[in-house]
Amino acid sequence: MNAEEKNRYFQELTLNLQHEGFAVKPETEEGLLPIELDGQRLCLALDTGSVRYWREDTADDHRSAALDKAISITKTTAEYMRQMETAPQLTASGLTGDYRLLADFNDVVLAGHPTRYGVQFATWERVRERTGLNAGNFYGPPGGVDSYTAAKRDFATRSGLIPHVVLFTPEQLTEVYRSIPETLENFSITSERQEHLSSAAEQIERTIPDLEDRVDISLQKEEEFCDSLDPEQSGYTFFIE
């Protein structure tokens, strides 16, 4: 990256990290971006999309998980910012503003639009012999890297690159994730099945950035549902310790 590209990347990365609760300090003299968690150093972001960290700063599970999230955010941000720097302008009848063409397939486009609040992503259908755009779906910028992930998913299914039926929604994956430990703890299953379920849980953890929040919401809804049931009518038996 040249100096301007690096500055734009660090600005975008700062917004995405702050969206996830990280604190970002001014760039160091060495050209690195300090990332903090709970007022303490966590890691340093490089302009390559990677991070530098010290083992003692990630000694417990909470900080180790936070580092994994920070690494994921930096990689994803670097991915789409590199595309934004090289992508051509999207031109269409009636379209104004700076929109970069990130992908174009089967008369569906994925575009990125830089704003002061971060990059906004959009998908459109090409119409009128590809001179116009129709039915835009917009993502972000407040959503951070989740906006980019959602826009890519929308483009892939909308353009036909991936059939919609083969993709699970975040809500579906959350419930699958919740069911895995229940199966592992309460049923006698083969070691091969245990391995497949454990690897599936790890894959879901990497796929859904806000998985922990989604699990909490799912648990809360389930508790509210159980509280609303009449034990005599529901067929459930409740035990209170």
Side-chain angles (χ1 to χ4, degrees), residues 50-62:
S50 58
V51 304
R52 182 182 301 169
Y53 67 94
W54 290 262
R55 190 178 300 274
E56 60 267 24
D57 292 336
T58 59
D60 58 62
D61 292 341
H62 172 64

Side-chain angles (χ1 to χ4, degrees), residues 124 130 155 182 184 230:
W124 278 287
R130 294 176 59 88
F155 172 77
E182 296 173 1
L184 293 175
D230 182 346

